[in-house]
């Protein structure tokens, strides 16, 4: 997903767990406000978000904080990699964080339930692109060479699942060529060296802007919906919070979720404004790229039972492909926040 995808193995988990052992049972770290102070009226909430699709829905809330119109007193940190965000939330340096959904499940498993899933903010952002006009269904991929990155992580597992659901053997009916980074795949497509590829936004937009002959052939979010019967959705981005922070600050969490939902709504209704803010806050470097990418980011806000119902089928697919992709276990009911 942008720079945060593919969801790489959590190289920092060992150090994260060590940090957690030191901070377990600690307070939220927020300074007590004196009576009548502005801080008392606006609870302090520290939020970490990622560059790329997972962070786009946050930009209007970041603007509200800059304008002084946010209901909570937010401090935002924008990071390049999920590992950075994991370290921050595990150490108690941040209270709420936007992360890939499977990373949230891994962290829940590895910290014995120290985090909760508050809401899903992004559905799938992965697309099959083609330099040509032969692919109009998953079945049309038969016999094709598909370039992709993310071997051993979500992109591979989702692609293989959809191929199988459409009657194709991923190991015999297609040839998947994995590269190390999205940038490498994008360059091959833009140069015409790769005819078919799996890419996330905003790389899809970057490639199609460079090479107008490249078109979006398949939306994997839509293809997921066609393939499943359990009501699940391809849910790839979410916000999580430290469980101790949620327990001690329920009103602040509820306020954040209301403001965050409104921020996501603004991002989808005012694409040009959101694109400018993406560049301003370093979420997507180019406003022009952001403006074209946002309509394909599948920004959403799903919480409570709707979130839980929609994501469990997705988690099951990942678990069946590789239990380690979820930290070795499917999340139990304690993972899902239902307070707002």
């Amino acid at each position: 997903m942008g720079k945060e995808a593919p969801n790489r193995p959590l190289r920092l988990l060992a150090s994260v767990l060590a940090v957690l052992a030191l901070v377990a049972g600690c307070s939220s770290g927020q300074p007590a406000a004196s009576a009548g102070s502005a801080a008392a009226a606006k609870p302090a909430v520290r939020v970490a978000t990622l560059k790329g699709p997972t962070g786009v829905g946050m930009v209007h809330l970041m603007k509200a904080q800059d304008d002084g119109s946010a209901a909570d007193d937010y401090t935002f940190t924008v990071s390049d990699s999920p590992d950075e965000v994991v370290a921050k939330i595990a150490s108690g340096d941040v209270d709420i964080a936007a992360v890939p959904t499977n990373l949230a499940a891994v962290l829940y498993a590895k910290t014995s339930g120290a985090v909760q899933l508050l809401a899903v903010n992004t559905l799938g952002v992965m697309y099959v692109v083609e330099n040509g006009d032969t692919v109009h269904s998953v079945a049309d991929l038969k016999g094709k060479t598909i370039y992709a990155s993310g071997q051993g992580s979500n992109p591979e597992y989702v692609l293989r699942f959809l191929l199988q659901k459409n009657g194709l053997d991923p190991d015999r009916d297609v040839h998947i060529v994995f590269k190390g980074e999205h940038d490498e795949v994008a360059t091959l497509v833009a140069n015409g060296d790769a005819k078919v590829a799996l890419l996330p936004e905003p790389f899809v937009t970057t490639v199609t802007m460079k090479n107008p002959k490249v078109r979006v052939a398949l939306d994997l979010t839509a293809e997921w919906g066609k393939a499943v019967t359990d009501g699940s959705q391809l849910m790839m981005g979410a916000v999580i919070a430290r469980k101790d922070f949620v327990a001690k600050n329920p009103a602040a969490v509820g306020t954040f979720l209301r403001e965050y939902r409104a921020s996501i709504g603004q991002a989808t209704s005012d694409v040009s404004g959101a694109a400018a803010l993406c560049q301003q806050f370093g979420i997507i470097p180019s406003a022009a790229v952001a403006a074209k990418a946002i309509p394909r980011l599948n920004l959403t806000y799903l919480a409570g039972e709707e979130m839980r119902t929609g994501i469990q089928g997705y988690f099951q697919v990942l678990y069946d492909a590789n239990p380690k992709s979820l930290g070795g276990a499917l999340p139990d009911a304690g993972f899902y926040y239902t307070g707002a």
Side-chain angles (χ1 to χ4, degrees):
M1 300 178 63
K3 289 199 175 183
E4 71 264 30
N7 300 317
R8 296 183 294 274
L10 299 182
R11 299 183 298 274
L12 299 185
L13 272 176
S15 59
V16 166
L17 294 175
V19 173
L20 279 170
L22 295 174
V23 302
C26 292
S27 68
S28 66
Q30 299 181 80
S34 59
S37 70
K42 288 189 173 186
V45 181
R46 300 162 301 172
V47 182
T49 192
L50 284 163
K51 296 180 180 179
T54 305
V56 171
M58 201 76 74
V59 295
H60 281 89
L61 185 52
M62 297 168 79
K63 180 179 184 296
Q65 176 62 31
D66 280 1
D67 294 345
S69 60
D72 285 343
D73 181 19
Y74 300 106
T75 300
F76 290 99
T77 302
V78 178
S79 296
D80 283 298
S81 83
D83 289 345
E84 294 176 19
V85 177
V86 167
K88 290 179 186 298
I89 199 163
S91 66
D93 288 339
V94 299
D95 308 308
I96 294 172
V99 296
T101 51
N102 76 304
L103 176 53
V106 170
L107 191 56
Y108 180 76
K110 297 302 183 182
T111 61
S112 301
V115 298
Q116 278 190 303
L117 187 71
L118 299 182
V120 168
N121 58 28
T122 315
L123 299 180
V125 298
M126 294 190 294
Y127 294 84
V128 172
V129 297
E130 181 190 16
N131 192 333
D133 192 29
T134 65
V135 177
H136 300 278
S137 69
V138 176
D140 290 339
L141 292 172
K142 186 173 183 178
K144 303 289 187 185
T145 296
I146 306 168
Y147 286 81
S149 56
Q151 186 172 21
S153 61
N154 292 20
E156 178 183 6
Y157 304 148
V158 171
L159 177 60
R160 292 177 69 90
F161 171 74
L162 291 176
L163 288 169
Q164 291 168 343
K165 279 291 185 178
N166 284 270
L168 300 182
D169 183 336
D171 298 313
R172 299 180 63 182
D173 293 327
V174 300
H175 181 210
I176 305 174
V177 178
F178 285 103
K179 298 296 182 179
E181 299 292 339
H182 295 320
D183 285 311
E184 187 177 359
V185 177
T187 299
L188 289 171
V189 177
N191 292 344
D193 295 325
K195 299 298 183 184
V196 179
L198 177 66
L199 279 172
E201 283 289 6
F203 292 92
V204 172
T205 293
T206 301
V207 167
T208 55
M209 290 175 70
K210 289 181 178 178
N211 186 346
K213 294 181 180 179
V214 177
R215 68 180 186 90
V216 175
L218 300 173
D219 175 353
L220 264 57
T221 304
E223 296 304 326
W224 182 284
K226 296 175 187 176
V228 302
T229 58
D230 60 1
S232 66
Q233 298 184 66
L234 184 55
M235 297 181 172
M236 300 192 71
V239 283
I240 61 173
R242 297 193 341 267
K243 194 173 285 187
D244 64 336
F245 178 81
V246 174
K248 294 173 184 177
N249 303 275
V253 171
T255 298
F256 165 77
L257 289 175
R258 288 191 294 275
E259 293 196 294
Y260 185 45
R261 182 173 191 169
S263 180
I264 292 171
Q266 287 176 286
T268 57
S269 63
D270 177 17
V271 171
S272 61
L277 292 175
C278 284
Q279 180 173 313
Q280 177 182 334
F281 292 116
I283 302 298
I284 296 176
S286 164
V289 170
K292 290 184 177 294
I294 287 172
R296 284 197 291 259
L297 295 186
N298 289 311
L299 300 179
T300 190
Y301 179 90
L302 297 171
E305 191 58 33
E306 186 179 15
M307 167 186 70
R308 181 177 175 177
T309 300
I311 204 169
Q312 284 180 321
Y314 172 54
F315 279 167
Q316 187 67 58
V317 168
L318 297 183
Y319 181 82
D320 290 344
N322 182 0
K324 291 182 180 179
S325 66
L326 296 179
L330 289 165
D332 59 27
F335 178 60
Y336 301 97
Y337 174 73
T338 59

